[in-house]
Amino acid sequence: MIAWTSPVSPPATPKDGVPCVDADKAGENGASAGGVRAGPFGAALRQQHGGVAKFWVAQAPYKGRAEALIKIDHVSSGTVAYYVRDAAATSIPLNDDGTPTKDPIYPGSVLLPADGHIRITITIGPASGCFALTL
């Protein structure tokens, strides 16, 4: 299954050795790995399982505009989905007091399986990180 959020060419597929963190232990706001950030994880993501889930990614730290490639592997079935987020589609979220944060994010949605182990690998420019979790 392939899903695209914009008509751009995906960046190169990450090589073996992409650092992977246990997102089951990540906070509700997100986690960092290999120069990328992503979220939400925890209960916020698990409550959305089995369908469309809101999911943002970002560079950590921000190094300029680049397309973002999101690869979601359902470990049990071997099903893989790819999402590309266009660099022009980034947005800057606001803090609780209404001031802008310093780093833009790539907002959007992904499709998640109903249950099982998944690995989410994100590549933005030269940075790649992996997040493993159980739904």
Side-chain angles (χ1 to χ4, degrees), residues 2-114:
I2 296 179
W4 301 99
T5 56
S6 65
V8 297
S9 299
T13 302
K15 296 178 180 156
D16 292 335
V18 172
C20 200
V21 300
D22 183 356
D24 286 325
K25 297 177 182 174
E28 298 296 318
N29 294 327
S32 296
V36 298
R37 295 180 295 130
F41 291 110
L45 187 64
R46 281 194 238 342
Q47 290 172 354
Q48 302 181 75
H49 71 82
V52 176
K54 292 180 182 177
F55 190 73
W56 59 265
V57 300
Q59 294 174 328
Y62 181 68
K63 295 184 179 183
R65 292 180 178 254
E67 278 70 39
L69 173 65
I70 303 168
K71 177 183 175 189
I72 300 180
D73 293 292
H74 186 239
V75 177
S76 306
S77 70
T79 303
V80 177
Y82 291 92
Y83 301 86
V84 174
R85 304 242 173 106
D86 190 337
T90 59
S91 65
I92 298 177
L94 300 177
N95 294 312
D96 291 339
D97 64 0
T99 60
T101 61
K102 64 179 180 170
D103 294 328
I105 64 169
Y106 300 74
S109 298
V110 295
L111 289 174
L112 295 178

Side-chain angles (χ1 to χ4, degrees), residues 123-135:
T123 301
I124 303 174
S128 290
C130 174
F131 305 90
L133 64 142
T134 304
L135 298 173

